[in-house]
């Protein structure tokens, strides 16, 4: 919940010149819904891609305050961040909900960025691998190998699947 549309415009005016020559890395910036239109407009024709910070899996309906994949596509958004730790904790999004969102994003030609990770207590208890494996398997349930080409790769160096 950072950056108004005006602040996003000011940010991109400063940021674009700093990364215009970057060729060997992808740049994806997540923006809040109210700044997405500005972010997409300001980065058009650049090496910067825009991600929405979340979305509802449904196309439309009585989901007050939510944002649909159709709304994101209409704005020109290419990526969407799903499964963020804050969404998991504060909004009780579980792997089933996140999986529904991942599949919806893919069905609407959005590229999901699947966030995974353990809580401090889980790390201290030595259950990191189990937690992260469960999140990956649950978040990507029924996602085909072909669809995986559009999921932003998740890497965790110490995970043993």
């Amino acid at each position: 919940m950072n950056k108004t549309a005006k602040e996003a415009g000011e940010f991109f005016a400063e940021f674009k010149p700093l990364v215009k020559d970057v060729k060997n890395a992808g740049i994806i910036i997540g923006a809040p819904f109210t700044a997405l239109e500005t972010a997409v407009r300001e980065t058009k024709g650049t090496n910067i891609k825009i991600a929405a910070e979340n979305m509802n899996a449904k196309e439309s309906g009585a989901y007050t305050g939510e944002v649909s994949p159709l709304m994101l596509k209409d704005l020109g958004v290419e990526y969407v961040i799903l499964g963020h730790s804050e969404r998991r904790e504060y909004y009780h999004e579980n792997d089933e909900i996140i999986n529904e969102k991942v599949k919806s994003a893919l069905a609407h030609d959005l590229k999901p960025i699947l966030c995974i990770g353990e809580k401090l207590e889980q790390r201290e208890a030595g259950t990191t691998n189990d937690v992260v494996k469960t999140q990956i398997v649950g978040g990507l349930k029924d996602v085909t190998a072909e669809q995986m080409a559009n999921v932003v790769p998740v890497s965790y160096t110490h995970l043993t699947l």
Side-chain angles (χ1 to χ4, degrees):
M1 236 172 37
N2 293 298
K3 301 269 187 255
T4 64
K6 181 181 178 203
E7 290 170 335
E10 293 166 353
F11 168 80
F12 284 112
E14 290 181 31
F15 186 71
K16 287 187 297 187
L18 300 175
V19 298
K20 67 180 172 60
D21 295 324
V22 173
K23 305 280 189 239
N24 58 350
I27 301 169
I28 304 169
I29 296 180
F33 182 70
T34 57
L36 284 174
E37 186 173 14
T38 300
V40 169
R41 181 182 64 246
E42 292 298 320
T43 58
K44 189 173 181 129
T46 72
N47 58 339
I48 304 166
K49 304 295 182 192
I50 299 300
E53 293 179 331
N54 186 40
M55 70 166 217
N56 190 295
K58 307 293 186 211
E59 288 186 355
S60 64
Y63 303 98
T64 303
E66 290 291 311
V67 177
S68 78
L70 297 176
M71 293 171 173
L72 297 179
K73 288 298 291 182
D74 184 58
L75 290 174
V77 172
E78 293 182 53
Y79 294 84
V80 59
I81 301 168
L82 302 171
H84 195 282
S85 62
E86 294 164 358
R87 299 291 309 179
R88 291 176 188 268
E89 183 174 353
Y90 304 143
Y91 299 97
H92 310 289
E93 290 186 3
N94 58 28
D95 294 327
E96 184 178 325
I97 292 168
I98 293 161
N99 177 249
E100 184 181 3
K101 290 180 177 191
V102 166
K103 291 187 292 190
S104 178
L106 291 165
H108 291 90
D109 296 319
L110 291 164
K111 296 175 181 153
I113 300 169
L114 177 61
C115 298
I116 58 165
E118 81 286 8
K119 294 180 180 181
L120 177 60
E121 310 85 60
Q122 294 164 324
R123 184 180 320 134
E124 290 173 345
T127 60
T128 296
N129 282 359
D130 293 334
V131 169
V132 173
K133 179 179 179 179
T134 298
Q135 290 175 351
I136 292 171
V137 171
L140 298 175
K141 182 180 179 201
D142 299 324
V143 173
T144 67
E146 182 180 317
Q147 290 173 314
M148 280 301 297
N150 289 311
V151 176
V152 174
V154 176
S155 79
Y156 183 78
T157 55
H158 301 294
L159 178 65
T160 306
L161 293 177

